[in-house]
Amino acid sequence: MKIESIRLHHIRMPLVAPFETSFGRESERECILIELESEGSIGYGECVASRDPGYSYETSGTAIHVLTDFIVPLILGSDLVDAANFQARVQGIRGHHLAKAGVEMALWDLLGKQDRKSLRELLGGKRSRVEVGVSIGIQDSPQSLVKQVEEYVKSGYARAKIKIKPGRDVEDASAVRRQFPDLRLQVDANSSYQLEDASNLRPLDDLKLLLIEQPLSEDDIWDHHTLQEHFKTPICLDESIVSPRHARYAIEMKACRVINIKAGRLGGLSRAVMVHDLCQAYNMPVWCGGMLETGVGRASNLALASLPNFSLPGDISASDRYYARDITNERFVLNSDSTIDVPNGSGLGVSIDKAALDKFTLSIAKFVAPT
Ligand code: OSB
Ligand code: MG
C-alpha cells in the first residue's frame, strides 16, 4: 500500500477537569493526530506524547521532530504492507516509541479500511465489550478525592485507580477504602518512589488493593523485584515495560505480578500484542492502560483490550470523563456493567469531526510523495 501523503496535526484539547499525577497537573491535553493517505482512504493514528516530558521523555515537540525528520522520510511514497514491515523500517531509530506507535495505529486503520475489517478482528480480539475503570488524579484533599470517587462509582465505574505520590499516598488510599470497602481499587505512583522510601507504602498492603502500579523508577526492574518480595499486593509495571524483552525481564526477575499494556509506550500495537501473548504464555495477567486519549486512541485501546489475556479492567473510561468535545463523531459511553463496547466498523471504526479537529489544531505539517 503506497503511502501517498502524511499529515501531522499538533492538537491541544481542554480536559473536563485537570488531571494531576506525581509528575504534574494538566488542564489541557496535547497530542499528535497522524493521517496516512493511500488509494483514496485515510488512516488515523494518535501519538500520545504530551506537552511535557513527565510520563515519558517524549513530548509533542520531540514527536513532531522525529516524525518529520526521520519517520516520514522512511515511509512516504513507499509501499507499507503491514505493521511488521513498518517496524522493520523504523528499527534504526532508537526509542521514540510514542511517535512510532502513532504511525503504526494509522497504518492499522488504513489496512482495516481497505480490507473492511475492524481492528479487533485484525488483532485477534475476542470480546465485543471490555471491562473498564476510571483513573483519578491527585485531588486537593483526601476528602475531595473520596467525593470524586463517589461520583464515578455513582456513574457506573466498578473499578477505580487513584494516583499517589510521596506525601499523598496512604492517607488518600485509606480514606477511599474506608468509604468503599468492596470497590475494586488500585493505585498508581508513576515512578515517584525509591526503594529506600517505599517502606512508607507498607500500610497500602492491608487495603486489599488490586495492584500497586509503577512505584519505582522506570529503568529499575530489579528494585521492583525486591519490593514485590515485601508486598503481598501485586506490583504492576507500566513505565518500565517498553518492549517485549522488558516484559520477559520482569517475568524472569519476578519484578511484578501484573503488567500494564500501552501500545504507545511499547512502540506500536504489534508490539503490544507480542507482550500480551508473552504474558499469556507465562500466566501473567495484563490490562490496558490509558493516556487520556481522544476517540481515535480510545478506539484503538478498546480493540486491543478485547484480546483474551486482558483480565483486569482497563483505564479506558467513557469520552465524557475526558472531553466535552472530542475529535471523533463517535463518543464512547459506559454500559451499566462497567464495560464499553468495542467498535465494529472498518479499521478503528471511528470518523473525524473535522470542525472539532480544526478548532483544536495548533499546527499542521503536510508531506506529499512525488508522483
Ligand atoms: O500512568 O497510567 C498512567 C495518563 C497519562 C499518563 C500516564 C498515565 C495516565 C493515566 C490516565 O493514568 C488513564 C486514562 O487514560 O484514563
Ligand atoms: Mg501508570
Side-chain angles (χ1 to χ4, degrees):
M1 202 167 38
K2 185 183 164 186
I3 305 301
E4 294 152 10
S5 78
I6 301 174
R7 277 192 192 77
L8 309 176
H9 300 253
H10 182 186
I11 65 182
R12 180 189 292 156
M13 294 161 64
L15 289 161
V16 293
F19 188 72
E20 185 174 332
T21 62
S22 59
F23 50 79
R25 175 190 276 235
E26 301 172 81
S27 326
E28 298 176 306
R29 176 179 181 264
E30 287 193 16
C31 68
I32 316 295
L33 183 75
I34 299 167
E35 292 184 27
L36 298 183
E37 186 180 5
S38 177
E39 296 160 26
S41 302
I42 295 179
Y44 294 94
E46 178 169 347
C47 165
V48 297
S50 53
R51 193 193 65 184
D52 302 334
Y55 170 79
S56 163
Y57 65 84
E58 291 182 78
T59 65
S60 35
T62 69
I64 289 176
H65 160 54
V66 169
L67 288 163
T68 301
D69 295 334
F70 301 104
I71 299 179
V72 166
L74 289 173
I75 62 173
L76 186 64
S78 74
D79 197 28
L80 280 187
V81 295
D82 58 18
N85 180 219
F86 167 71
Q87 289 293 339
R89 276 171 200 268
V90 298
Q91 205 175 12
I93 300 171
R94 186 186 301 273
H96 297 282
H97 287 182
L98 308 186
K100 292 173 184 171
V103 176
E104 204 197 286
M105 191 192 299
L107 177 61
W108 282 106
D109 189 32
L110 199 49
L111 292 166
K113 281 169 173 165
Q114 299 206 331
D115 289 355
R116 294 190 201 292
K117 287 203 171 112
S118 68
L119 181 60
R120 170 166 77 106
E121 287 174 87
L122 294 177
L123 297 180
K126 297 286 175 255
R127 313 180 178 101
S128 58
R129 38 174 45 193
V130 301
E131 274 195 281
V132 304
V134 60
S135 173
I136 304 170
I138 296 166
Q139 306 293 312
D140 293 337
S141 65
Q143 294 71 33
S144 46
L145 173 65
V146 169
K147 259 211 184 124
Q148 187 65 254
V149 173
E150 189 168 6
E151 279 178 33
Y152 285 122
V153 168
K154 274 193 188 140
S155 60
Y157 291 100
R159 189 227 72 181
K161 157 170 139 181
I162 63 170
K163 293 289 188 177
I164 58 168
K165 66 175 182 182
R168 293 299 306 277
D169 40 41
V170 173
E171 202 192 335
D172 283 65
S174 305
V176 174
R177 179 49 89 211
R178 223 173 295 123
Q179 197 69 28
F180 301 95
D182 302 315
L183 179 65
R184 300 181 84 189
L185 182 65
Q186 59 194 61
V187 298
D188 186 358
N190 284 114
S191 320
S192 56
Y193 297 84
Q194 293 182 309
L195 195 53
E196 297 73 45
D197 58 16
S199 56
N200 297 329
L201 298 178
R202 258 266 74 85
L204 292 183
D205 214 17
D206 298 319
L207 295 181
K208 292 188 282 118
L209 302 177
L210 286 174
L211 55 89
I212 299 171
E213 186 177 346
Q214 195 71 40
L216 312 176
S217 297
E218 69 168 303
D219 60 354
D220 203 341
I221 295 178
W222 180 250
D223 277 356
H224 281 99
H225 155 84
T226 307
L227 192 66
Q228 180 68 89
E229 282 199 314
H230 294 95
F231 276 75
K232 50 182 194 283
T233 308
I235 302 287
C236 168
L237 293 179
D238 173 355
E239 285 92 322
S240 291
I241 308 299
V242 296
S243 70
R245 241 177 338 101
H246 285 68
R248 179 171 61 77
Y249 298 156
I251 293 166
E252 289 179 355
M253 287 186 213
K254 299 188 178 10
C256 62
R257 295 203 199 115
V258 178
I259 287 178
N260 162 316
I261 293 186
K262 290 178 184 171
R265 189 192 72 224
L266 288 161
L269 283 160
S270 60
R271 290 163 54 97
V273 172
M274 287 177 201
V275 172
H276 165 273
D277 295 350
L278 179 83
C279 288
Q280 188 162 32
Y282 282 93
N283 289 316
M284 169 76 71
V286 303
W287 57 285
C288 185
M291 294 289 287
L292 311 175
E293 284 86 352
T294 72
V296 173
R298 195 161 307 287
S300 171
N301 285 343
L302 287 163
L304 180 61
S306 74
L307 271 70
N309 191 41
F310 282 87
S311 52
L312 290 161
D315 271 352
I316 315 173
S317 309
S319 306
D320 67 1
R321 181 256 171 275
Y322 308 92
Y323 304 108
R325 189 164 184 197
D326 205 335
I327 59 166
T328 52
N329 293 309
E330 300 74 15
R331 289 184 71 84
F332 294 99
V333 293
L334 190 68
N335 300 316
S336 58
D337 57 352
S338 196
T339 63
I340 296 184
D341 295 348
V342 180
N344 277 320
S346 299
L348 291 170
V350 292
S351 58
I352 298 296
D353 175 343
K354 297 267 165 51
L357 176 60
D358 266 4
K359 182 179 155 78
F360 299 133
T361 296
L362 301 173
S363 65
I364 306 182
K366 185 175 178 185
F367 309 90
V368 182
T371 43

